[in-house]
Amino acid sequence: MQDSQGVARRDAEIRELHESLSLATSKARDSSRALLAVVRKLCATFEWGFGEVWVPSRDGSALKPGPAWPRANPTYHGFRMISRRLGFRPGQCVPGRVWSERTPLEIADLSTDEAAFFTRRKAAVACGFRSLLAVPILSGDEAVAVIVLYRTTALEGPSARTEAITRAVAPLGPVIARKRVEVELAIRERQQKAVASLGLHALNEATDLERILGEATRVAAATLGVGHCKLLELLPGHDAMVLRAGIGWREGLVGTREVSAGKGSQSGYTILSGKPVIVPDLDRERRFTPSRLLTEHSIVSGLSVIVHGHQGPFGVLAVHAQQRRSFTADDVHFLQSVANVVGTALERREAEEELDEHRRHLETLVLKRTTQLEKSHERLRLAERLASIGTLAAGLGHDLGNTVLPLLCRLDSLDANDLPQRAREDLAAVREAVEYLRQLSQGLRHFALDPEDDTASPRVTSIPEWWATVRSLLRNALPARVELDSRLSDDLPPVVVPAHRLTQAVLNLVANAAEAIEGEGRVRIFADAPRDAGFVRLGVVDNGRGMKARTRRHALEPFFTTKKRGLSTGLGLALVHGVARSCGGEVEIQSAEKQGTMVTLTIPVANRAPDPETTELQLGANVRVAVSLADPRISAYASLLIRSAGGDVEDSPDTEPGDVQVWVTEPGVANADAIRDYLGDDVSRRVILVGDGPGSTTSTTDPRVIMADRRGGPEAMRRSLRQVIFQLLDHSSHELTDTRPLRG
């Protein structure tokens, strides 16, 4: 009877305890507070001195320390600190064994061999503990927690308390499991809100990248509940990373501390592996060597993910804890989401910088093009003014000629009469004046003719006859304070240049000379023909202010001028240069500051044996030529020379010129095999090989290959190429027997 009453009383006590525990757990906001309430109630009810809870990690791989009671007892502080740094896998130590076997475990005396597997026995005994009881809290077949209770006295035999505690906590499993699910859901919700908030912050602070990076590390650390977070940027060379932003690190390290990008750090290993890296315990890590940054801050656990940039990894985002910490798949997804927000901000920043660069480049192009258009409009206006002047000059020359002709006829009629001597002297003076007007009208006609029209006047010009025609025009081009002097050699041979082009070239030189003279001065025109030289030197000399070295170097370039825009076209000396080049001649400028200037035209003489420099080239309309030259200037000149000779040019940037009669190329574009493939067995094909003489890298003995030597600069290249084309024309109607290159 008494036994049955005792059993009923215990059952009532257990029901009362269960109701009390159920009420405490239901009121708790989360599973941790619920378990703390349970262990506190058990310790108070059954007089256990200390109780602790072990709960599965979020990934379910091990047990981690949970709440303990009493929390602030200094006697148990050392034992509690040791426990907080530990974790147990299934079957390991007391909590692990109870977790895996899902049955209670009682150790009556910790000093016996029965407690040998209890790894913390020494620390427990040092705190005065003599026995313990470990009880699982089950939810179905899963142990959602393990409660371990300690007391300072040994247990004597099977205890009714063990059964009572086991029965009291048994129904709590589903409640604790539900609390755990609620916590996980709350964590996920908090993580999602954190990512959304960070994304909004990145949009609002798009121009301040440093603030975005700093906010990303703060959000990651706060959301995951860790004390350290870092964002490392991969440096050029990809052998190191710098701490770009972070939280929890010693002052002065952000922006300066570097870590290895290889296996010398967790972040470096993350880059190498290409996937997230979880480190439960840094001391047991074997995949990489912990960096000094982590060891200096007593880091135990960590999680790291890659921050992807526009053209590859930007760096690594990582969180770290100073105690053992497990990270779940949800944690990995959250941290990767934060890293993706950072990567998107980086890509947006790069895109904005590229857009800014494109905008600045476009503005520069527009400004440049606008300037070019303004200059072109100015040149067009000047050209129109020159055309108007030319039209006026042509009209004046024509009207003056029409006026002079009747005067000359009447003078001839008077001269046939028998006049007194005084009248004849007056008549001679009038004739001289009229002759001056006639010469002036012819000079104006020469000035007004199109300088590009070689048919406007005969191609061959007699210098003495030309001088007699234009002397008056040139004299009138000079101010009264400047004297015109001439020194022309006797017996000058005819030259290959139209008279009107020569007039315009010399008139430009005389006008330039007059402008260079300040006050009184002298302009001299000279012409001589060195013996057997094959050319005539015609020059204009002044005693003006001379040219600076830079002006002399650029004087022959089109539109180059030292005068204000609107006062000069910059085409005068360029026209002179064009006249000389068109007839196979040259222009030479000798000048120095305060020492005057001499400009000399070298003009080939007429009626000589054919010469590549003076003979007009005629390839014929049916000759097709491919040009494959790397230097655009040489390529443009060769194409111009071939077109002026009547050939048809086809640009061919590669080593397959196509079906053409002549291929102009160079060793850097075509090798010997390409040349042999092109020539084949066709005896009518030719190759002009532009190289550096006999030492060129492409060598061949085929007589159909003719060398053009480009050594000596652009002018030497021009003469050499012209001679080679002349040689090619000469070979086109004769058997090829000599393939030695001609050099200018």
Side-chain angles (χ1 to χ4, degrees):
M1 182 69 178
Q2 292 180 349
D3 291 341
S4 61
Q5 291 178 347
V7 171
R9 186 171 57 254
R10 285 197 302 273
D11 290 342
E13 291 176 351
I14 292 174
R15 284 195 301 272
E16 182 181 354
L17 177 61
H18 170 65
E19 291 175 357
S20 176
L21 293 177
S22 297
L23 180 62
T25 55
S26 61
K27 289 182 177 181
R29 288 187 298 173
D30 53 47
S31 59
S32 179
R33 288 181 173 83
L35 290 171
L36 177 61
V38 171
V39 75
R40 180 180 180 180
K41 185 69 175 177
L42 293 177
C43 287
T45 302
F46 296 101
E47 298 180 352
W48 292 89
F50 179 75
E52 63 181 8
V53 179
W54 294 85
V55 295
S57 61
R58 293 177 63 194
D59 61 2
S61 62
L63 286 177
K64 65 176 185 178
W69 181 265
R71 290 179 290 183
N73 191 323
T75 304
Y76 308 137
H77 179 72
F79 183 73
R80 177 60 179 159
M81 290 300 99
I82 293 175
S83 300
R84 289 183 62 184
R85 293 195 294 267
L86 297 177
F88 299 113
R89 296 192 177 278
Q92 186 180 17
C93 195
V94 172
R97 179 179 293 184
V98 174
W99 183 37
S100 61
E101 295 178 359
R102 297 186 293 280
T103 57
L105 174 64
E106 183 180 277
I107 299 180
D109 190 347
L110 293 176
S111 62
T112 64
D113 292 339
E114 180 187 6
F117 71 97
F118 181 37
T119 56
R120 294 176 292 158
R121 181 174 64 169
K122 185 176 180 180
V125 172
C127 290
F129 297 141
R130 294 290 305 279
S131 58
L132 66 80
L133 171 64
V135 179
I137 298 180
L138 302 177
S139 177
D141 292 334
E142 178 188 5
V144 297
V146 174
I147 296 177
V148 184
L149 303 173
Y150 300 87
R151 65 187 308 163
T152 57
T153 59
L155 297 177
E156 297 179 357
S159 173
R161 294 187 182 88
T162 300
E163 179 186 357
I165 291 173
T166 301
R167 291 175 59 189
V169 301
L172 300 179
V175 178
I176 300 299
R178 179 171 56 81
K179 293 288 184 182
R180 284 183 58 187
V181 172
E182 291 174 353
V183 169
E184 289 296 325
L185 291 176
I187 291 174
R188 293 183 187 180
E189 182 181 4
R190 186 169 67 251
Q191 290 177 349
Q192 292 171 357
K193 288 182 177 179
V195 172
S197 176
L198 179 62
L200 183 61
H201 179 83
L203 288 175
N204 294 333
E205 302 290 340
T207 58
D208 193 342
L209 184 60
E210 297 304 321
R211 291 188 61 179
I212 295 175
L213 300 183
E215 181 66 10
T217 58
R218 187 196 67 77
V219 168
T223 306
L224 292 178
V226 296
H228 296 76
C229 180
K230 66 174 185 274
L231 193 148
L232 297 168
E233 179 182 1
L234 198 60
L235 294 175
H238 293 191
D239 57 350
M241 291 182 283
V242 65
L243 183 59
R244 180 74 179 269
I247 188 171
W249 313 104
R250 289 203 311 270
E251 185 177 356
L253 294 183
V254 175
T256 60
R257 176 60 67 88
E258 294 184 8
V259 301
S260 169
K263 291 187 176 182
S265 69
Q266 177 182 345
S267 299
Y269 180 76
T270 304
I271 293 289
L272 292 177
S273 64
K275 58 184 179 181
V277 174
I278 298 176
V279 178
D281 189 343
L282 195 63
D283 290 339
R284 299 181 179 181
E285 185 57 56
R286 297 295 180 268
R287 294 171 294 178
F288 56 86
T289 303
S291 66
R292 191 160 56 92
L293 178 64
L294 299 185
T295 58
E296 288 176 352
H297 291 80
S298 303
I299 296 301
V300 176
S301 302
L303 167 63
S304 53
V305 297
I306 297 175
V307 179
H308 296 282
H310 179 60
Q311 297 179 342
F314 170 81
V316 171
L317 178 65
V319 292
H320 301 281
Q322 290 179 318
Q323 64 276 348
R324 188 177 179 85
R325 163 71 185 268
S326 60
F327 294 96
T328 66
D330 291 334
D331 295 335
V332 174
H333 293 157
F334 164 72
L335 192 62
Q336 187 64 68
S337 297
V338 173
N340 292 342
V341 171
V342 173
T344 302
L346 290 169
E347 291 183 3
R348 179 178 176 179
R349 176 68 175 271
E350 292 177 3
E352 290 178 348
E353 290 178 349
E354 289 181 3
L355 287 175
D356 289 340
E357 180 64 26
H358 288 319
R359 182 168 57 251
R360 288 191 296 269
H361 180 63
L362 182 60
E363 290 173 353
T364 301
L365 290 179
V366 170
L367 179 60
K368 182 179 179 181
R369 183 56 179 163
T370 302
T371 303
Q372 291 175 344
L373 288 174
E374 290 175 352
K375 291 181 179 179
S376 297
H377 291 161
E378 181 64 24
R379 292 166 186 166
L380 180 60
R381 287 191 292 270
L382 289 170
E384 290 174 348
R385 287 167 56 189
L386 288 176
S388 299
I389 293 173
T391 302
L392 177 61
L396 287 174
H398 180 268
D399 293 345
L400 191 57
N402 291 340
T403 303
V404 167
L405 182 59
L407 287 175
L408 288 174
C409 292
R410 286 173 172 78
L411 288 175
D412 291 340
S413 177
L414 289 173
D415 197 29
N417 297 327
D418 186 11
L419 299 175
Q421 182 62 32
R422 178 65 180 271
R424 286 191 176 278
E425 291 176 359
D426 292 340
L427 188 62
V430 173
R431 182 182 290 278
E432 183 179 354
V434 173
E435 181 63 26
Y436 171 78
L437 291 176
R438 187 186 67 80
Q439 293 175 359
L440 184 59
S441 70
Q442 291 182 353
L444 288 173
R445 286 183 60 252
H446 285 168
F447 171 74
L449 291 175
D450 184 359
E452 300 299 326
D453 186 1
D454 285 343
T455 65
S457 61
R459 182 173 176 79
V460 177
T461 299
S462 169
I463 296 295
E465 294 177 2
W466 167 82
W467 175 247
T469 301
V470 302
R471 177 171 53 193
S472 300
L473 177 66
L474 299 179
R475 170 63 263 182
N476 282 278
L478 295 172
R481 57 184 169 78
V482 179
E483 179 182 349
L484 178 63
D485 183 17
S486 62
R487 293 186 182 180
L488 277 64
S489 300
D490 298 332
D491 301 326
L492 290 172
V495 292
V496 185
V497 60
H500 73 284
R501 302 199 70 183
L502 184 60
T503 300
Q504 292 167 346
V506 176
L507 182 60
N508 272 288
L509 295 179
V510 170
N512 287 345
E515 292 175 355
I517 297 175
E518 299 174 356
E520 296 182 352
R522 173 179 295 179
V523 174
R524 175 182 299 163
I525 297 177
F526 71 89
D528 58 39
R531 185 182 297 274
D532 298 327
F535 58 82
V536 171
R537 296 172 61 249
L538 190 150
V540 178
V541 186
D542 67 68
N543 60 350
R545 59 179 173 270
M547 299 182 186
K548 296 180 180 180
R550 178 181 178 276
T551 302
R552 188 173 64 252
R553 287 195 302 270
H554 298 282
L556 298 178
E557 296 178 3
F559 304 110
F560 176 81
T561 180
T562 58
K563 304 170 190 175
K564 292 183 179 179
R565 290 293 176 188
L567 298 179
S568 172
T569 62
L571 293 172
L573 286 175
L575 183 145
V576 174
H577 190 221
V579 169
R581 291 282 298 275
S582 67
C583 64
E586 302 292 342
V587 177
E588 179 183 5
I589 299 178
Q590 294 177 304
S591 183
E593 287 190 83
K594 300 180 181 180
Q595 296 183 21
T597 300
M598 181 172 69
V599 181
T600 304
L601 284 76
T602 302
I603 307 173
V605 301
N607 299 324
R608 298 178 62 236
D611 189 312
E613 287 294 311
T614 61
T615 302
E616 184 177 0
L617 302 180
Q618 289 297 327
L619 282 170
N622 294 326
V623 177
R624 288 182 296 118
V625 182
V627 177
S628 305
L629 297 174
D631 191 323
R633 297 170 301 176
I634 298 177
S635 178
Y637 174 74
S639 299
L640 178 62
L641 193 59
I642 292 165
R643 288 191 180 99
S644 65
D648 184 11
V649 178
E650 298 180 7
D651 292 330
S652 178
D654 52 27
T655 58
E656 296 182 1
D659 186 16
V660 296
Q661 283 75 37
V662 182
W663 184 20
V664 182
T665 185
E666 59 183 323
V669 176
N671 55 30
D673 291 338
I675 292 174
R676 281 194 295 270
D677 291 343
Y678 162 72
L679 291 173
D681 297 329
D682 193 340
V683 296
S684 65
R685 287 188 172 185
R686 299 290 185 272
V687 172
I688 297 178
L689 191 60
V690 179
D692 296 327
S696 298
T697 56
T698 302
S699 60
T700 177
T701 59
D702 196 312
R704 293 171 292 174
V705 178
I706 307 173
M707 292 295 298
D709 196 344
R710 64 182 168 198
R711 296 176 297 178
E715 286 303 314
M717 176 61 218
R718 184 193 65 78
R719 292 193 297 269
S720 177
L721 188 58
R722 184 176 176 89
Q723 287 177 333
V724 166
I725 293 178
F726 183 83
Q727 181 189 17
L728 175 64
L729 293 175
D730 183 57
H731 285 175
S732 64
S733 59
H734 299 83
E735 185 69 20
L736 293 175
T737 57
D738 184 5
T739 60
R740 292 174 297 176
L742 296 177
R743 295 182 173 84

